[in-house]
Amino acid sequence: MPVTLKELAARARVHPSTISRVANNDPSLRIAPATRTRIETLLRETDYRPNGVARGLKLRQTFVLAVVIPDVTNPFFAALFRGVEDGASSRGYNVLLCNTDGSPERQRSHLLSLHARRVDGIVLASSYLKDPTVRWLRHQAIPYVLVNRFSDEAQDPFVGSDDLVGGRMATQHLIQLGHRRVGHLAGKATVSTGVLRRRGYLAALADHGLEVDSHLITESGYTEEGGARAAERLLTAPNRPTAIFAVTDMTAVGAWGAARRMGLRIPEDVAIVGYNDIPLASRLVPGLTTVHVPIHEFGSAAARLLLEQIETGDAIRRRVIFNPELIVRGSTVAGTDAPAGLRPIAALATE
Amino acid sequence: MPVTLKELAARARVHPSTISRVANNDPSLRIAPATRTRIETLLRETDYRPNGVARGLKLRQTFVLAVVIPDVTNPFFAALFRGVEDGASSRGYNVLLCNTDGSPERQRSHLLSLHARRVDGIVLASSYLKDPTVRWLRHQAIPYVLVNRFSDEAQDPFVGSDDLVGGRMATQHLIQLGHRRVGHLAGKATVSTGVLRRRGYLAALADHGLEVDSHLITESGYTEEGGARAAERLLTAPNRPTAIFAVTDMTAVGAWGAARRMGLRIPEDVAIVGYNDIPLASRLVPGLTTVHVPIHEFGSAAARLLLEQIETGDAIRRRVIFNPELIVRGSTVAGTDAPAGLRPIAALATE
DNA sequence: TTGCGTTGAACAAACGATTGTCCTATCTTA
DNA sequence: TAAGATAGGACAATCGTTTGTTCAACGCAA
């Protein structure tokens, strides 16, 4: 068992509170230099560290944050988590990671658990539109930030990108390349990113006077497999699209695989655009054209927003919106991939 | 502020301990049925949940585990984490995630912090050989499990695979394909996986009466970039290898990229074998031949070992060793990749 | 009516730390 | 020398639960 204040007090023949004050360098403490050094050496010898649980109870602060995401196995969320941890660990916080696998039920039970644990703040990246769990969260006295997806327009502290602009940008790129039949692998109608990116897609069509063909839009969900199936539906249809805008990179990767399996050349037979710019996007051959968003910054910005709320003690409704940016690669324009010698290498991947 | 026992006690006109006993369904409690239902409805109405921090202090158990890894952005560790969480969350545990970026200093400070927080157990997947932090850990009264890498032979609870056998298997495969000059991108001499896989490589050479050429072995570390640089060194040398065994898949991916940039065909000009079988390995074209280990099971087995120690209350020195398995793909044998229509699709990747 | 067994809860002591307040020597100053 | 100031810590309450022990009131039998 680790040493406690009481034990140290007994050994130093002083009151526990004195030890605590020395350990915490309490400026209000007046103490004889001799006593101080005696206590300090004792602290050092025993390698004393205050019990974080007791400390958390007394201070009403646990120095623990939590990140709730669908699945850390998805590179997008892994990078997001790193952003949060990098922003928080230097300030003495540890971070819990909760995977929901997209289940509202699991999300709910995780949040209840985190609340009971009195974590100091929650980063929620798995929320749905009009999410009841988010509503519940608003009434709890616990700082939180929604990331990437929001639940109700402009209600909650939020970090993300402008998905409408991004979706428009991606679609416009395809249209400007001459494509007239542009398909869309749509996200769910219950998720903000799905709705907005689809709206961006429609806006781009309208911008260029193209008619909406509902057969060109199909829901793919957010999984690679969903993307593959949806792409197969689109590409085997009578009047198939010559280009596809997928709601996320993972979905695009699914489409990418489906196209290859069907013997279609990318980008000659079908062009593909994704969203998020995960590392995998640049590793495919041809590279995946995609809408870049600063994933790591999503996380660190969320951490900042959380810490600000924790430190000031009141809820901040600020929204941080990053501008999405189109990255053109070989999946839409042949020969665009960086020349061999200069091909960027994803950095820092240990073991 | 969430409701406390004391407040509920005031409202129900009973003692806090009575509320606690009702909430916890204490069998030793004798109580009038009327009082019980009165309290139960109160609990339901207020949605009472005991303060986890106070509970942790009293029970000396926090129901928090921690996973310490180099970098969750690496698919290997992301999958490992999922294994741990899947094994632990159903039992009421939450899991902290700590990234060390391979820095012993960060690892040490994370462990000190986790110890102060009184987490119930630690999964450590970033340890070094003769790691001082692991030595420290042995003297603390906190359950821990080393995963994938060990620190000192057979000293600690451990989950991993037989890296010597795996390394031998990978190298033997190349030799049996007819390669006589087989290079090795070696891990660090300070990490067990690095040492053992290299030893496996040497053993396979010896098995087949091949001489060791020290120019064919070069340290790559565990990053993709390290793998690329190391592969370039090997492949530009006068008497270059016709095959390469890389210590991990990420390293192999680096080599894979380097070979492509140099205009070498895989596997005709250079064959490549990796280790771990991360999802990316099967997504490359050609697919990466690799040594499969059950990453997710590493995590869930580690969680089981931890929970067992926590529940029984004493340290278990058990070691769980999985058998590695060779997965042959196109990076060593042309045409081995699954036929188009049957190509497996990595499942479940949300957003 | 006295005594005893039950019932139904109340009491109180932890778990370790933090922090505002109080107390007792020792010193200073008039 | 008496009074006030100051230095150096001790005291004690508190954070919210859990749990072994105690206790009052009631019912029942002798």
Side-chain angles (χ1 to χ4, degrees), chain A residues 224 250 253 256-257 260-261 280 283-284, chain B residues 75 249-250 252-253 256 274-292 295 327-331 336-340 342-347:
Chain A
E224 179 176 0
M250 285 314 279
V253 169
W256 192 93
R260 288 190 76 103
R261 281 194 294 280
L280 175 57
R283 202 134 46 194
L284 295 176
Chain B
D249 284 346
M250 285 314 281
V253 169
W256 191 92
Y275 205 112
N276 280 339
D277 196 20
I278 61 178
L280 176 58
S282 61
R283 202 135 45 197
L284 295 175
V285 182
L288 181 65
T289 293
T290 188
V291 178
H292 173 90
I295 310 177
I327 307 284
V328 178
R329 299 205 179 91
S331 71
T336 347
D337 288 335
L342 298 173
R343 193 86 135 282
I345 294 183

Side-chain angles (χ1 to χ4, degrees), chain A residues 52 62-63 71 74 77 82 85 94-95 97 99 101 113 116-117 148 222-224 261 283 340 349-351, chain B residues 52 62-63 71 74 77 82 85 94-95 97 99 101 113 116-117 148 222-224 261 283 340 349-351:
Chain A
T62 54
F63 287 95
D71 180 20
N74 181 316
F77 294 112
R82 284 285 333 223
E85 203 210 331
N94 280 118
V95 189
L97 176 51
N99 295 104
D101 283 329
S113 166
R117 274 190 204 305
N148 193 45
Y222 297 100
T223 68
E224 179 176 0
R261 281 194 294 280
R283 202 134 46 194
T350 314
E351 171 66 9
Chain B
T62 54
F63 287 95
D71 180 20
N74 181 317
F77 294 112
R82 284 287 329 226
E85 203 210 332
N94 281 118
V95 189
L97 176 51
N99 295 103
D101 283 329
S113 167
R117 271 188 206 306
N148 194 44
Y222 297 99
T223 69
E224 179 176 359
R261 282 194 293 282
R283 202 135 45 197
T350 313
E351 170 67 10

Side-chain angles (χ1 to χ4, degrees), chain A residues 143-164:
Chain A
Y144 68 96
V145 176
L146 265 42
V147 176
N148 193 45
R149 309 169 166 189
F150 58 78
S151 175
D152 295 277
E153 196 75 54
Q155 278 262 26
D156 310 279
F158 175 75
V159 175
S161 65
D162 191 327
D163 288 301
L164 196 153

